[in-house]
């Protein structure tokens, strides 16, 4: 009864199911492991950030390049601020503080002894970076040689919250804190990193360090969790469709073994086998069941009888008239 499983069609279905189910399970497990790795990395980053707040600051050169390990570490650098290139970074909101109010970062470039400049976010202010009333409250940077200490951060990119990569900002504003954005503004080299000061000058508010990219429970992490569910659903769907096709073909094979023909299959042939009369094949009248040949023969016989009767009557009448005329004579 299950010989249909050996047909080419079912060979293809079985091969597809055998390959698709393990693939879906593997991809779902892989996405789940990606989510678990992000959770572990996020926890490690939280612990590292907590230790970095109390750890002693290290020189900037020893923490570069910025990665998931050095991101958020306390770094120190010595130099003097470039007061001619103070920049405002609009559209920024502090997490956990002033959450419902937009503001802007105040960024200055620290010219170090190495000749490169380090972007330093001195703090955050609520308001609009394009409004003179709000920008008038920005304090001037310290003059002379200073030593700055703050949390080390990697350069921003298009996926960073609040970053504006499209450009078109007024002069004196910066959409994204990165060396690529600053290289066209200042005539000297820029470190591919920046720091946010731990102690901000009033009325500025200190900007807390952000988690390293790919280490937090962001949208990508929950996308991995969603993809996990999708792959497992795909595997279950393949099993469901295989069972449904198998049951349908098994029932059809069982019916065929019992001689049960599905409706609509062989209906015309069955009618001919039962010997049911057809008007076209039998040449008879479907309503009365009388053959058409017999009807025509009866009609021809009736016509001949009428003609012969008329002929005999005329001949007898003529004969009697002649006999009467001869008697009179």
């Amino acid at each position: 009864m299950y010989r249909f499983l050996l047909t080419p069609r079912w060979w293809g279905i079985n091969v597809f199911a055998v390959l698709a189910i393990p693939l879906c399970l593997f991809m779902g497990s892989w996405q789940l492991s990606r989510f678990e790795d992000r959770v572990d990395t996020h926890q490690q980053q939280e612990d590292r950030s907590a230790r970095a707040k109390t750890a002693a600051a290290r020189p900037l050169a020893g923490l570069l390049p910025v990665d998931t390990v050095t991101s958020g570490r306390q770094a120190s650098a010595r130099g003097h601020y470039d007061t001619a290139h103070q920049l405002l970074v609009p559209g920024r909101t502090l997490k956990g503080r002033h959450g419902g109010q937009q503001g802007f970062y105040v960024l200055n470039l620290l010219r170090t002894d190495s000749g490169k400049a380090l972007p330093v976010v001195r703090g955050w202010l609520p308001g609009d970076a394009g409004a003179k009333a709000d920008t008038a409250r920005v304090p001037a940077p310290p003059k002379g040689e200073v030593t700055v200490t703050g949390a080390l951060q990697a350069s921003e990119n298009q996926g960073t919250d609040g970053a504006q990569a499209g450009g078109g900002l007024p002069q004196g504003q910066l959409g994204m804190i990165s060396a690529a954005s600053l290289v066209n503004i200042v005539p000297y080299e820029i470190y591919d990193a920046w720091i946010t000061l731990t102690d901000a000058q009033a009325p500025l508010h200190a900007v807390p360090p952000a988690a390293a990219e790919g280490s937090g429970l962001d949208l990508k992490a929950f996308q991995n969790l969603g993809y996990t569910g999708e792959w497992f659903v795909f595997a279950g769907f393949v099993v469901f469709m295989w069972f449904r096709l198998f049951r349908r073909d098994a029932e059809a094979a069982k019916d065929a073994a019992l001689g049960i023909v599905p409706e609509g299959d062989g209906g015309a042939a069955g009618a001919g086998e039962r010997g049911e009369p057809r008007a076209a094949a039998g040449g008879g009248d479907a309503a009365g069941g009388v053959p058409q040949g017999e009807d025509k023969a009866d009609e021809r016989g009736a016509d001949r009888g009428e003609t012969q009767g008329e002929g005999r009557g005329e001949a007898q009448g003529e004969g009697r008239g002649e006999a009467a005329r001869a008697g009179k004579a």
Side-chain angles (χ1 to χ4, degrees):
M1 187 172 65
Y2 300 120
R3 291 183 179 178
F4 62 87
L5 292 174
L6 301 178
T7 60
R9 172 173 171 268
W10 268 98
W11 270 106
I13 293 175
N14 291 332
V15 170
F16 173 79
V18 168
L19 296 178
I21 294 174
L23 176 63
C24 293
L25 295 178
F26 170 77
M27 293 300 297
S29 301
W30 178 72
Q31 290 290 349
L32 181 60
S33 65
R34 293 275 295 175
F35 174 74
E36 292 175 347
D37 290 342
R38 288 181 179 273
V39 172
D40 295 339
T41 306
H42 173 71
Q43 186 62 41
Q44 294 173 4
Q45 184 69 20
E46 291 289 331
D47 297 340
R48 192 179 298 116
S49 299
R51 293 193 302 267
K53 292 179 181 179
T54 59
R58 294 178 55 184
L60 175 66
L63 298 175
L64 296 178
V66 184
D67 54 18
T68 57
V69 176
T70 60
S71 179
R73 295 287 299 272
Q74 293 293 309
S76 62
R78 188 171 182 83
H80 63 276
Y81 283 114
D82 182 3
T83 57
H85 293 94
Q86 179 168 273
L87 299 170
L88 304 179
V89 186
R92 300 305 175 102
T93 303
L94 292 186
K95 295 182 179 180
R97 298 177 58 189
H98 313 282
Q101 189 176 8
Q102 288 286 332
F104 54 90
Y105 292 167
V106 179
L107 183 143
N108 287 92
L109 297 171
L110 182 73
R111 300 289 303 274
T112 64
D113 297 337
S114 65
K116 288 185 177 182
L118 175 66
V120 178
V121 174
R122 295 168 51 214
W124 174 89
L125 276 177
D128 185 4
K132 292 183 178 181
D134 295 330
T135 58
R137 298 185 293 116
V138 177
K143 296 181 179 180
E145 193 172 30
V146 296
T147 300
V148 298
T149 301
L152 186 64
Q153 301 281 269
S155 293
E156 295 182 336
N157 52 50
Q158 296 181 358
T160 305
D161 292 340
Q164 302 179 31
L169 295 174
Q171 186 176 3
Q173 295 187 21
L174 182 69
M176 187 168 58
I177 307 173
S178 67
S181 300
L182 291 167
V183 72
N184 297 323
I185 299 177
V186 295
Y188 40 80
E189 294 184 17
I190 306 294
Y191 279 107
D192 191 17
W194 58 283
I195 66 172
T196 170
L197 294 183
T198 305
D199 298 323
Q201 182 182 358
L204 299 176
H205 301 275
V207 177
E213 184 179 1
S215 64
L217 293 178
D218 52 5
L219 180 60
K220 291 183 178 180
F222 291 101
Q223 283 180 344
N224 292 133
L225 186 61
Y227 294 151
T228 299
E230 288 183 359
W231 282 111
F232 288 149
V233 169
F234 291 158
F237 180 75
V238 172
V239 174
F240 168 76
M241 290 303 299
W242 185 94
F243 178 76
R244 183 176 180 181
L245 293 174
F246 172 80
R247 186 178 64 178
R248 186 191 66 179
D249 287 3
E251 291 177 353
K254 184 177 180 180
D255 291 343
L258 296 175
I260 301 175
V261 180
E263 294 183 0
D265 295 343
E273 292 173 358
R274 290 191 299 266
E276 295 180 359
R278 297 187 201 175
D285 188 2
V290 180
Q292 295 180 359
E294 296 180 2
D295 292 342
K296 292 180 179 180
D298 292 343
E299 292 177 359
R300 287 194 295 270
D303 291 340
R304 290 194 191 98
E306 292 178 358
T307 304
Q308 293 176 356
E310 291 177 357
R312 291 193 187 102
E314 290 179 357
Q316 291 177 357
E318 291 178 359
R320 291 173 180 166
E322 292 179 358
R325 287 195 295 271
K328 290 179 178 180

